[in-house]
């Protein structure tokens, strides 16, 4: 099985979130796309996220993942809440897409911690850890697969300008450690770039030996 670990991220955009958190504006119907590649640069997955509903401080996002041949892999719905100067995101936004590789039409349910971002990121800042529970069911399987994803040691490294197919963005760079086990085990590190007012732009994951495992870039 390919060594692929790329986060499924939500991408939201509206004036409501721009005014309160500064990172995730949103408008109902907004569509965002992220493409996932393996360590050799081969397209593996395409994640399309749609802002379904905005209700006060909460937005609900529908995400669908297909493989490189446009075959359905999985879909999920999760929330983002902007309150008291923090943005909290359901753990479903951070499920490693590599867990779904080769598992078409998987049904996924998410429990556990939410991922927290403060209103004002700054260099050297430490962000809260998270533990996410995943239950995945597949047609024809007699029992579900269960896994825990642990995200620890989250740190804001600094600011960088990043160019991806969707454009060039000035981003905050955040690093963290990650581990999970579901048929295969993974323990390594990850890097993400997040742009004020735009959301997540790029992510990379590395094995415990610091070899690139996979990456994901904003395409829309």
């Amino acid at each position: 099985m390919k060594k692929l670990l790329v986060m499924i991220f939500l991408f939201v955009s509206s004036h409501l979130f721009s005014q309160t958190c500064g990172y995730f504006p949103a408008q109902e119907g907004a569509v965002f796309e992220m493409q996932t590649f393996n360590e050799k640069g081969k397209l593996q997955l395409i994640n399309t996220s749609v802002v379904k509903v905005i209700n006060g401080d909460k937005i609900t996002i529908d995400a669908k993942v297909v493989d490189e041949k446009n075959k359905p892999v999985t879909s999920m719905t999760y929330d983002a809440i902007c309150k008291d100067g923090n943005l909290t995101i359901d753990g479903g936004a951070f499920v490693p897409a590599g867990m779904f590789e080769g598992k078409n039409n998987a049904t996924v349910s998410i429990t556990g911690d939410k991922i927290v971002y403060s209103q004002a990121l700054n260099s050297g800042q430490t962000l809260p850890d998270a533990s996410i529970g995943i239950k995945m069911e597949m047609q024809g399987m007699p029992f579900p697969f269960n896994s825990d994803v642990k995200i620890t040691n989250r740190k804001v490294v600094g600011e960088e300008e990043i160019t991806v197919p969707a454009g060039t963005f000035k981003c905050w760079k955040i690093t963290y450690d990650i581990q999970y086990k579901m048929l295969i085990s993974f323990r390594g590190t990850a890097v993400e770039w997040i742009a004020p007012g735009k959301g997540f732009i790029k992510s990379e994951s590395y094995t415990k030996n610091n070899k690139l495992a996979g990456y994901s870039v904003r395409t829309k």
Side-chain angles (χ1 to χ4, degrees):
M1 187 174 292
K2 303 180 184 71
K3 296 178 180 178
L4 175 64
L5 180 70
V6 181
M7 303 302 98
I8 297 178
F9 288 117
L10 67 93
F11 307 100
V12 294
S13 172
S14 116
H15 295 299
L16 169 66
F17 279 73
S18 176
Q19 292 167 358
T20 55
C21 281
Y23 285 93
F24 300 88
Q27 71 180 55
E28 291 182 358
V31 179
F32 305 88
E33 181 184 276
M34 181 75 95
Q35 292 187 0
T36 300
F37 299 83
N38 67 10
E39 71 278 12
K40 296 181 180 180
K42 182 180 178 181
L43 178 64
Q44 302 289 290
L45 301 166
I46 302 171
N47 171 41
T48 303
S49 297
V50 180
V51 177
K52 184 178 180 181
V53 177
I54 301 174
N55 184 8
D57 290 335
K58 182 175 77 172
I59 60 173
T60 300
I61 300 97
D62 283 343
K64 294 183 179 181
V65 181
V66 299
D67 65 16
E68 75 280 9
K69 296 180 181 179
N70 204 37
K71 293 182 179 180
V73 174
T74 190
S75 61
M76 65 184 69
T77 299
Y78 46 85
D79 295 327
I81 298 173
C82 194
K83 189 175 182 180
D84 298 330
N86 289 324
L87 178 77
T88 59
I89 306 172
D90 280 353
F94 278 73
V95 174
M99 297 177 110
F100 305 133
E101 192 174 3
K103 305 176 183 65
N104 288 355
N105 292 309
T107 300
V108 180
S109 58
I110 306 295
T111 58
D113 299 330
K114 296 181 183 295
I115 312 298
V116 178
Y117 292 85
S118 64
Q119 178 178 2
L121 296 178
N122 55 76
S123 297
Q125 184 177 4
T126 298
L127 301 175
D129 295 340
S131 180
I132 302 164
I134 300 171
K135 179 180 179 181
M136 182 169 65
E137 298 179 272
M138 296 164 52
Q139 187 175 4
M141 296 300 295
F143 53 86
F145 295 106
N146 296 291
S147 180
D148 290 320
V149 177
K150 297 186 184 299
I151 299 172
T152 58
N153 198 28
R154 297 173 68 214
K155 295 181 179 178
V156 182
V157 176
E159 291 184 285
E160 287 188 2
E161 188 172 85
I162 297 294
T163 298
V164 296
T168 298
F169 305 89
K170 187 175 182 180
C171 302
W172 285 105
K173 180 180 179 180
I174 300 171
T175 61
Y176 53 91
D177 299 330
I178 185 166
Q179 66 179 88
Y180 72 85
K181 183 177 182 180
M182 182 180 280
L183 297 182
I184 62 170
S185 297
F186 185 95
R187 182 189 295 269
T189 60
V191 186
E192 65 185 16
W193 288 265
I194 181 173
K198 300 296 181 180
F200 294 97
I201 302 301
K202 182 179 178 180
S203 68
E204 297 174 346
S205 60
Y206 295 85
T207 68
K208 61 182 180 180
N209 297 320
N210 203 33
K211 292 183 178 180
L212 181 67
Y215 63 95
S216 154
V217 293
R218 180 82 164 261
T219 49
K220 291 183 182 178

